[in-house]
């Protein structure tokens, strides 16, 4: 385990709180606990008895602002006269984990539930509620009694995308009021960039850790190196994130049955991890779903070994403490990763509710901010608006494309999430799919070309790989989402996600939807498959299903001709009896 060697660590230790977890390392291991994914979930304390994990993510608060907690078999008791869980055993284990130097955070959201904010005001008020119920505030009912969490994680996979920036801003205000410890904000987006739900929040709020889910998607670990897109997230961390020291984790399934796609064994994961660690300084470590799966499969031990082999820690600060947050004349050596700092040489985030995922607002007290590069730092091969050019040249400059008109460059931004690439002398905006995202090229002057391992890309329409969640026509409130899985030659895997909005559905269910033109379906990993023209129906196996379900994930496989595309969610019909 890694120990802080800063004065902050001394202060925290004197306060009775061990701080072995160092957010600035690239060898941290975070794992989710609470949903009993392997059906053999032990107590939280039993997993904290050794040094395997660094961060435990409690899953989930799957209902808010009307709070609903669900920790499967780990907690089933409630406060008298209330439906709110009261978990004294988890509370005691939280303290045990923290005494071992681990951070414990609560995950908000998840694949199924009823959550989201209707306004920034509601989100800010809920941040007050969170502080009072789970941190250093006071409340009549505290699910973990007097245990104090180390932070929250946003695993937003449904509901409204609004309010989360305001929520984080207000919660950080509370964080800064407690000088005794560090608190964290984490997020768990899916790997397609930008994330459908958290894209705007990631750009406008101060985030410490991002647990990217590299599974159940076309850009997962199983697609390495062709479609695996850690490069997109590293580029975001360095160019768009307010916290330029944010740490990106490789999210992996803990076992073969933990996800519909994306599982890799320890040896393969080690190869990928070491390749990423050698190239990207934003790497923070590995995350698994979930701890019961990772411990049962043995992957957790392999992860700990690979993390400890050659890990390193930066000197930048992380989390939020109040040690430098309240003095406007704080030292110029204060860490720039502390969002509350107002040092004369430190840029601090202006929490914004801007809806565009490509918009970043930064307020600096410095008269000469380094965040604004001078024109002299631009490589000669980058087209710059207003600069001279010749003929009908075209060019790329990161997320902007350029056209030469009457001897001058005119630049324009690509659609958020896409980047400019040259192809046959033509500037084209496209998804990165693992390619560099800072391309500087001008037709006739650049040798840039697509990676050889993307030769199959003509079969893929990038926009059609984006998840398209929608409310299904159903007899209970349900959301259906289709996500691209493995795509090899003319064979595809599409992941189907069925998520209940409020009430659970029974083990007797079916879903039908239409396949895109040119696709056939050959098998399903759950239930039985029926085909009628281009309409397919998957019926559950009642003997294999739970009596009550909040979600059902499975995959269908088949072949396609022409361009691969996801099914239209508008055609989905879900019935549970």
């Amino acid at each position: 385990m890694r120990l802080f060697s800063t004065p902050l660590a001394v202060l925290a230790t004197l306060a009775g709180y061990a701080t072995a977890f160092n957010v600035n390392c690239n060898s941290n291991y975070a794992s989710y606990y609470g949903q009993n994914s392997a059906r053999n979930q032990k107590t939280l304390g039993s997993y904290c008895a050794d040094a395997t994990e660094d961060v435990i993510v409690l899953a989930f608060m799957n209902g808010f602002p009307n709070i609903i907690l669900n920790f499967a078999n780990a907690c089933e008791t409630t406060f008298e006269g209330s439906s709110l869980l009261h978990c004294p055993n988890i509370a005691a284990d939280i303290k045990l984990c923290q005494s071992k130097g681990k951070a414990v955070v609560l995950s908000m959201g998840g694949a199924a539930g009823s959550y989201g904010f209707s306004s920034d005001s509601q989100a800010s008020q809920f941040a007050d509620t969170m502080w009072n119920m789970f941190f250093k505030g006071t409340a009549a009912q505290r699910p973990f009694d007097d245990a104090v969490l180390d932070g929250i994680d946003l695993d937003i996979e449904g509901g409204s995308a609004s309010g989360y920036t305001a929520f984080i801003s207000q919660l950080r205000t509370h964080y800064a009021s407690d000088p005794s410890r560090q608190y964290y904000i984490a997020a768990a987006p899916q790997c397609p960039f930008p994330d459908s739900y958290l894209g705007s929040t990631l750009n406008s709020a101060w985030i410490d850790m991002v647990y990217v889910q590299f599974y159940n998607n076309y850009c997962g670990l199983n697609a390495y190196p062709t479609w695996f897109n850690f490069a997109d997230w590293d580029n975001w961390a360095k160019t768009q994130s307010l916290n330029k020291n944010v740490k990106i984790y490789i999210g992996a399934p803990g076992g073969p049955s933990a996800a519909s796609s994306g599982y890799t064994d320890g040896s393969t994961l080690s190869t990928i991890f070491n390749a990423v660690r050698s190239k990207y300084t934003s790497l923070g470590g590995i995350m698994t779903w979930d701890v019961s799966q990772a411990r049962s499969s043995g992957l957790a031990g392999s992860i700990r070994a690979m993390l400890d082999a050659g890990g390193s820690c930066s000197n930048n600060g992380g989390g939020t403490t109040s040690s430098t947050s309240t003095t406007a004349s704080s030292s110029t050596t204060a860490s720039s990763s502390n969002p509350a700092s107002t040092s004369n040489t430190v840029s601090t985030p202006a929490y914004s509710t801007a809806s565009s995922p490509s918009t970043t607002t930064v307020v600096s007290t410095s008269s000469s901010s380094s965040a604004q590069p001078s024109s002299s730092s631009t490589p000669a091969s980058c087209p710059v608006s207003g600069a001279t050019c010749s003929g009908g040249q075209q060019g790329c400059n990161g997320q902007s494309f350029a056209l030469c008109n009457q001897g001058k460059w005119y630049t324009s931004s690509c659609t958020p999430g896409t980047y400019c690439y040259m192809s046959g002398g033509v500037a084209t905006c496209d998804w990165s799919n693992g390619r560099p995202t800072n391309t500087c090229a001008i037709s006739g002057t650049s040798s840039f070309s697509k990676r050889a391992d993307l030769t199959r890309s003509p079969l893929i329409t990038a926009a059609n790989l984006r998840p398209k969640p929608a409310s299904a026509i159903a007899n209970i409130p349900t959301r259906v989402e289709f996500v691209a899985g493995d795509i090899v030659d003319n064979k595809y895997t599409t992941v189907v996600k069925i998520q209940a909005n409020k009430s659970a559905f029974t083990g007797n269910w079916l879903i039908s939807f239409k396949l895109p033109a040119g696709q056939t379906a050959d098998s399903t990993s759950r239930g039985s498959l029926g085909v009628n023209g281009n309409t397919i129906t998957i019926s559950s196996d009642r003997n294999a299903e739970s009596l009550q379900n909040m979600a059902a994930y499975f995959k269908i496989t088949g072949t396609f001709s022409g361009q691969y595309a996801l099914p239209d969610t508008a055609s989905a019909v879900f019935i549970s009896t």
Side-chain angles (χ1 to χ4, degrees), residues 44-248:
L44 175 60
S46 67
Y47 295 119
C48 289
D50 58 39
T52 305
E53 293 84 15
D54 300 295
V55 182
I56 298 294
V57 188
L58 301 177
F60 287 107
M61 176 187 284
N62 61 339
F64 60 84
N66 296 319
I67 295 179
I68 302 173
L69 297 171
N70 185 320
F71 304 115
N73 64 328
C75 178
E76 298 177 295
T77 58
T78 62
F79 287 100
E80 185 176 355
S82 170
S83 60
L84 181 65
L85 287 182
H86 180 209
C87 310
N89 292 334
I90 292 182
D93 285 346
I94 290 172
K95 295 178 182 179
L96 172 65
C97 296
Q98 292 171 335
S99 74
K100 301 285 188 178
K102 303 177 189 294
V104 183
V105 303
L106 175 62
S107 186
M108 300 169 56
S114 178
Y115 56 82
F117 301 118
S118 60
S119 66
D120 285 353
S121 175
Q122 185 187 57
S124 294
Q125 291 176 11
F126 189 68
D128 298 337
T129 299
M130 288 292 293
W131 179 256
N132 290 331
M133 292 183 67
F134 298 98
F135 295 95
K136 280 293 188 73
T138 58
Q141 295 179 333
R142 288 177 57 94
F144 304 136
D145 294 331
D146 61 347
V148 178
L149 294 174
D150 297 296
I152 60 100
D153 163 61
L154 295 175
D155 181 12
I156 307 305
E157 301 183 38
S160 170
S162 65
Y164 291 104
T165 299
F167 169 77
I168 292 171
S169 177
Q170 180 64 9
L171 189 57
R172 284 206 178 277
T173 299
H174 288 297
Y175 282 4
S177 70
D178 178 17
S180 68
R181 65 202 299 168
Q182 285 187 303
Y183 295 99
Y184 304 98
I185 302 289
Q190 298 181 58
C191 61
F193 183 87
D195 185 78
S196 299
Y197 295 102
L198 286 171
S200 176
T201 300
L202 290 172
N203 284 347
S204 56
W206 193 276
I207 309 294
D208 299 298
M209 298 168 283
V210 179
Y211 308 137
V212 182
Q213 299 179 46
F214 287 106
Y215 47 89
N216 290 338
N217 269 299
Y218 71 94
C219 42
L221 291 164
N222 53 310
Y224 178 85
T226 307
W227 295 99
F228 179 70
N229 67 337
F230 193 95
D232 286 348
W233 291 98
D234 178 77
N235 181 69
W236 166 83
K238 294 172 181 174
T239 64
Q240 292 179 276
S241 172
L242 295 186
N243 177 8
K244 293 302 185 288
N245 297 310
V246 64
K247 290 299 182 182
I248 310 298

Side-chain angles (χ1 to χ4, degrees), residues 181-487:
R181 65 202 299 168
Q182 285 187 303
Y183 295 99
Y184 304 98
I185 302 289
Q190 298 181 58
C191 61
F193 183 87
D195 185 78
S196 299
Y197 295 102
L198 286 171
S200 176
T201 300
L202 290 172
N203 284 347
S204 56
W206 193 276
I207 309 294
D208 299 298
M209 298 168 283
V210 179
Y211 308 137
V212 182
Q213 299 179 46
F214 287 106
Y215 47 89
N216 290 338
N217 269 299
Y218 71 94
C219 42
L221 291 164
N222 53 310
Y224 178 85
T226 307
W227 295 99
F228 179 70
N229 67 337
F230 193 95
D232 286 348
W233 291 98
D234 178 77
N235 181 69
W236 166 83
K238 294 172 181 174
T239 64
Q240 292 179 276
S241 172
L242 295 186
N243 177 8
K244 293 302 185 288
N245 297 310
V246 64
K247 290 299 182 182
I248 310 298
Y249 286 59
I250 298 173
S257 63
S260 295
S261 67
Y263 174 73
T264 57
D265 60 25
S267 176
T268 303
L269 181 59
S270 179
T271 298
I272 297 171
F273 174 78
N274 288 328
V276 170
R277 182 153 64 178
S278 68
K279 293 176 63 176
Y280 304 113
T281 57
S282 66
L283 178 67
I286 293 175
M287 172 275 283
T288 55
W289 175 268
D290 66 349
V291 67
S292 68
Q293 289 272 3
R295 290 297 189 104
S296 298
S297 69
L299 185 63
S302 298
I303 289 173
R304 184 71 270 161
M306 72 182 76
L307 289 170
D308 289 342
S312 62
C313 305
S314 65
N315 293 321
N316 299 308
T320 296
T321 74
S322 65
S323 58
T324 59
S325 64
T326 59
T327 306
S329 59
S330 56
S331 168
T332 57
T333 60
S335 166
S336 64
S337 69
N338 187 338
S341 173
T342 54
S343 166
N344 286 340
T345 61
V346 176
S347 295
T348 61
Y351 295 109
S352 168
T353 57
S355 59
S356 172
S358 61
T359 301
T360 302
T361 304
V362 175
V363 176
S364 175
T365 58
S366 171
S367 60
S368 59
S369 170
S370 61
Q372 300 298 325
S374 64
S375 59
S376 62
S377 65
T378 303
S381 60
C382 278
V384 177
S385 184
T388 58
C389 55
S390 60
Q393 287 183 311
Q394 298 185 25
C396 291
N397 189 342
Q399 284 190 292
S400 299
F401 65 91
L403 302 175
C404 185
N405 185 28
Q406 296 183 348
K408 290 186 178 181
W409 283 115
Y410 290 85
T411 62
S412 184
S413 297
C414 293
T415 301
T418 63
Y419 303 87
C420 184
Y421 299 100
M422 297 298 296
S423 177
V426 178
T428 303
C429 291
D430 194 4
W431 282 35
S432 71
N433 295 321
R435 292 173 290 177
T437 56
N438 57 348
T439 303
C440 283
I442 296 173
S443 58
T445 65
S446 173
S447 61
F448 178 84
S449 60
K450 289 187 177 183
R451 283 173 21 178
D453 58 6
L454 293 176
T455 55
R456 292 175 298 188
S457 60
L459 293 174
I460 309 301
T461 300
N464 287 338
L465 299 181
R466 296 292 295 160
K468 300 179 177 65
S471 296
I473 300 174
N475 60 343
I476 62 172
T478 310
R479 189 168 64 94
V480 172
E481 181 176 348
F482 300 111
V483 180
D486 299 330
I487 304 169

Side-chain angles (χ1 to χ4, degrees), residues 15-31:
Y17 175 66
T19 55
F21 171 63
N22 185 342
V23 71
N24 300 306
C25 297
N26 63 10
S27 52
N28 286 317
Y29 180 21
S31 197

Side-chain angles (χ1 to χ4, degrees), residues 511-524:
I511 182 172
S512 66
F513 52 88
K514 292 182 179 180
L515 292 173
Q519 284 189 21
T520 64
D522 303 325
S523 65
T524 175

